Coordinates of all heavy atoms in Angstrom, one line a residue:
Chain B
E49 N 2.6 -14.0 3.4 CA 2.5 -13.5 4.7 C 1.9 -12.1 4.7 O 1.1 -11.7 5.6 CB 3.9 -13.5 5.3 CG 4.0 -13.1 6.7 CD 3.3 -14.1 7.6 OE1 3.2 -15.2 7.3 OE2 2.9 -13.6 8.7
I50 N 2.3 -11.2 3.8 CA 2.0 -9.8 3.9 C 0.6 -9.5 3.2 O -0.2 -8.8 3.7 CB 3.1 -8.9 3.2 CG1 4.4 -9.2 3.9 CG2 2.7 -7.5 3.4 CD1 4.5 -8.8 5.3
G51 N 0.4 -10.1 2.1 CA -0.9 -10.0 1.4 C -1.0 -8.9 0.3 O -2.1 -8.6 -0.1
L52 N 0.2 -8.5 -0.1 CA 0.2 -7.6 -1.3 C 0.7 -8.4 -2.5 O 1.2 -9.5 -2.3 CB 1.0 -6.3 -1.0 CG 0.6 -5.4 0.0 CD1 1.6 -4.3 0.4 CD2 -0.7 -4.7 -0.4
A53 N 0.5 -7.8 -3.7 CA 1.0 -8.5 -4.8 C 2.5 -8.7 -4.9 O 3.2 -7.9 -4.2 CB 0.5 -7.8 -6.1
Q54 N 2.9 -9.7 -5.6 CA 4.4 -10.0 -5.6 C 5.2 -8.8 -6.1 O 6.3 -8.5 -5.4 CB 4.6 -11.2 -6.5 CG 6.0 -11.7 -6.6 CD 6.7 -11.0 -7.8 OE1 6.1 -10.9 -8.9 NE2 8.0 -10.7 -7.7
P55 N 4.8 -8.1 -7.1 CA 5.7 -6.9 -7.5 C 5.8 -5.8 -6.4 O 6.8 -5.2 -6.3 CB 5.0 -6.4 -8.8 CG 4.3 -7.6 -9.3 CD 3.8 -8.3 -8.1
T56 N 4.6 -5.7 -5.7 CA 4.6 -4.7 -4.7 C 5.6 -5.0 -3.5 O 6.4 -4.2 -3.1 CB 3.2 -4.5 -4.1 OG1 2.3 -4.3 -5.2 CG2 3.1 -3.3 -3.2
I57 N 5.5 -6.3 -3.1 CA 6.4 -6.7 -2.1 C 7.9 -6.6 -2.5 O 8.8 -6.1 -1.8 CB 6.2 -8.2 -1.7 CG1 4.7 -8.4 -1.2 CG2 7.2 -8.7 -0.7 CD1 4.5 -7.8 0.2
S58 N 8.1 -6.9 -3.8 CA 9.5 -6.9 -4.3 C 10.0 -5.5 -4.2 O 11.2 -5.2 -4.0 CB 9.4 -7.4 -5.7 OG 10.7 -7.5 -6.2
Q59 N 9.1 -4.5 -4.5 CA 9.5 -3.1 -4.5 C 9.8 -2.6 -3.1 O 10.8 -1.9 -2.9 CB 8.3 -2.3 -5.1 CG 8.6 -0.9 -5.6 CD 7.5 -0.3 -6.2 OE1 6.6 -1.0 -6.9 NE2 7.3 1.0 -6.0
H60 N 9.0 -3.0 -2.2 CA 9.3 -2.6 -0.7 C 10.6 -3.3 -0.3 O 11.4 -2.6 0.4 CB 8.1 -3.1 0.1 CG 6.9 -2.2 0.0 ND1 6.9 -0.9 0.1 CD2 5.6 -2.6 -0.2 CE1 5.7 -0.4 0.0 NE2 4.9 -1.4 -0.2
L61 N 10.8 -4.5 -0.6 CA 12.1 -5.2 -0.3 C 13.3 -4.4 -0.9 O 14.3 -4.2 -0.2 CB 12.1 -6.6 -0.8 CG 11.2 -7.6 0.0 CD1 11.1 -8.9 -0.7 CD2 11.7 -7.8 1.5
K62 N 13.1 -4.0 -2.1 CA 14.2 -3.3 -2.8 C 14.6 -2.0 -2.0 O 15.7 -1.7 -1.8 CB 13.8 -2.9 -4.2 CG 14.9 -2.4 -5.1 CD 14.3 -2.1 -6.5 CE 15.3 -1.4 -7.3 NZ 14.7 -1.0 -8.6
E63 N 13.6 -1.3 -1.6 CA 13.8 -0.1 -0.8 C 14.6 -0.3 0.5 O 15.5 0.4 0.8 CB 12.5 0.6 -0.5 CG 11.9 1.3 -1.7 CD 10.5 2.0 -1.4 OE1 10.5 2.8 -0.4 OE2 9.5 1.6 -2.0
L64 N 14.1 -1.4 1.2 CA 14.7 -1.7 2.5 C 16.2 -2.2 2.2 O 17.1 -1.9 3.0 CB 14.0 -2.8 3.2 CG 12.6 -2.4 3.7 CD1 11.8 -3.6 4.2 CD2 12.7 -1.3 4.7
K65 N 16.4 -2.8 1.1 CA 17.7 -3.3 0.8 C 18.6 -2.2 0.4 O 19.8 -2.1 0.8 CB 17.6 -4.3 -0.4 CG 18.8 -5.3 -0.5 CD 18.4 -6.3 -1.6 CE 19.6 -7.2 -1.9 NZ 19.3 -8.1 -3.0
Q66 N 18.1 -1.2 -0.4 CA 18.9 -0.1 -0.7 C 19.4 0.7 0.5 O 20.4 1.3 0.5 CB 18.1 0.8 -1.7 CG 18.2 0.4 -3.2 CD 17.3 1.1 -4.1 OE1 16.4 1.8 -3.6 NE2 17.6 1.0 -5.4
L67 N 18.5 0.8 1.5 CA 18.9 1.5 2.7 C 19.8 0.7 3.6 O 20.4 1.1 4.6 CB 17.6 1.8 3.5 CG 16.9 3.1 3.2 CD1 15.7 3.3 4.1 CD2 17.9 4.2 3.5
G68 N 20.0 -0.6 3.2 CA 20.9 -1.4 4.0 C 20.3 -2.1 5.2 O 21.0 -2.7 6.0
L69 N 19.0 -2.0 5.4 CA 18.4 -2.5 6.5 C 18.2 -4.0 6.4 O 18.1 -4.8 7.4 CB 17.0 -1.9 6.8 CG 17.1 -0.4 7.2 CD1 15.7 0.2 7.3 CD2 17.9 -0.2 8.5
I70 N 18.1 -4.6 5.2 CA 18.0 -6.0 5.0 C 19.1 -6.5 4.0 O 19.5 -5.6 3.2 CB 16.6 -6.4 4.6 CG1 16.3 -5.9 3.2 CG2 15.6 -6.1 5.6 CD1 14.9 -6.4 2.7
K71 N 19.4 -7.7 4.1 CA 20.3 -8.3 3.1 C 19.5 -9.4 2.3 O 18.6 -10.0 2.9 CB 21.4 -9.0 3.8 CG 22.4 -8.0 4.4 CD 23.7 -8.7 4.9 CE 23.4 -9.5 6.2 NZ 24.7 -9.9 6.9
G72 N 19.9 -9.6 1.1 CA 19.2 -10.7 0.3 C 20.2 -11.5 -0.4 O 21.1 -11.0 -1.0
N73 N 20.0 -12.8 -0.4 CA 20.9 -13.7 -1.1 C 20.1 -14.6 -2.0 O 19.1 -15.2 -1.5 CB 21.7 -14.6 -0.1 CG 23.0 -13.9 0.3 OD1 23.1 -12.7 0.2 ND2 23.9 -14.7 0.6
V74 N 20.6 -14.8 -3.2 CA 19.9 -15.8 -4.1 C 20.2 -17.1 -3.6 O 21.3 -17.5 -3.3 CB 20.4 -15.6 -5.5 CG1 19.8 -16.6 -6.4 CG2 20.1 -14.2 -6.0
E75 N 19.1 -18.0 -3.5 CA 19.3 -19.3 -3.0 C 18.6 -20.3 -3.9 O 17.4 -20.6 -3.8 CB 18.6 -19.4 -1.6 CG 19.0 -20.6 -0.8 CD 20.2 -20.3 0.1 OE1 20.6 -19.1 0.1 OE2 20.6 -21.2 0.8
G76 N 19.3 -20.6 -5.0 CA 18.6 -21.5 -6.0 C 17.5 -20.6 -6.7 O 17.8 -19.6 -7.2
T77 N 16.3 -21.2 -6.7 CA 15.2 -20.5 -7.4 C 14.5 -19.4 -6.5 O 13.8 -18.6 -7.0 CB 14.2 -21.5 -7.9 OG1 13.1 -20.8 -8.4 CG2 13.7 -22.4 -6.7
S78 N 14.8 -19.4 -5.3 CA 14.2 -18.3 -4.4 C 15.3 -17.4 -3.9 O 16.5 -17.6 -4.0 CB 13.4 -19.0 -3.3 OG 14.3 -19.6 -2.4
V79 N 14.8 -16.3 -3.3 CA 15.7 -15.3 -2.7 C 15.5 -15.2 -1.2 O 14.3 -15.2 -0.8 CB 15.6 -13.9 -3.4 CG1 16.5 -12.9 -2.7 CG2 15.9 -14.0 -4.8
C80 N 16.5 -15.2 -0.4 CA 16.3 -15.2 1.0 C 16.7 -13.8 1.6 O 17.7 -13.2 1.2 CB 17.3 -16.2 1.7 SG 16.8 -17.9 1.2
Y81 N 15.9 -13.4 2.4 CA 16.1 -12.1 3.1 C 16.3 -12.2 4.6 O 15.6 -13.0 5.2 CB 14.9 -11.1 2.8 CG 14.9 -10.6 1.4 CD1 14.1 -11.1 0.4 CD2 15.8 -9.6 1.0 CE1 14.1 -10.6 -0.9 CE2 15.8 -9.1 -0.3 CZ 14.9 -9.6 -1.2 OH 14.9 -9.1 -2.5
C82 N 17.1 -11.3 5.1 CA 17.1 -11.2 6.6 C 17.6 -9.8 6.9 O 18.1 -9.0 6.1 CB 18.0 -12.2 7.2 SG 19.8 -12.0 6.6
I83 N 17.4 -9.5 8.2 CA 17.8 -8.2 8.8 C 19.3 -8.1 8.6 O 20.1 -9.0 9.0 CB 17.4 -8.1 10.2 CG1 15.9 -8.2 10.4 CG2 17.9 -6.7 10.8 CD1 15.1 -7.1 9.9
D84 N 19.8 -6.9 8.2 CA 21.3 -6.6 8.3 C 21.5 -6.0 9.7 O 21.3 -4.8 9.9 CB 21.6 -5.6 7.2 CG 23.2 -5.4 7.2 OD1 23.8 -5.4 8.3 OD2 23.7 -5.3 6.0
T85 N 22.0 -6.9 10.6 CA 22.0 -6.5 12.0 C 23.0 -5.3 12.3 O 22.6 -4.4 13.1 CB 22.4 -7.7 12.9 OG1 23.6 -8.2 12.4 CG2 21.4 -8.8 12.8
N86 N 24.1 -5.3 11.6 CA 25.0 -4.2 11.8 C 24.4 -2.8 11.5 O 24.4 -1.9 12.2 CB 26.3 -4.3 10.9 CG 27.2 -5.3 11.6 OD1 27.1 -5.6 12.8 ND2 28.2 -5.8 10.8

Side-chain angles (χ1 to χ4, degrees):
Chain B
E49 185 66 24
I50 307 294
L52 293 169
Q54 180 266 322
T56 308
I57 299 289
S58 188
Q59 198 176 326
H60 285 307
L61 288 170
K62 189 181 174 185
E63 285 176 59
L64 293 172
K65 202 172 172 184
Q66 277 172 342
L67 271 180
L69 294 175
I70 64 176
K71 291 188 283 191
N73 272 24
V74 177
E75 195 93 5
T77 173
S78 68
V79 177
C80 296
Y81 284 104
C82 64
I83 302 287
D84 186 323
T85 56
N86 281 343

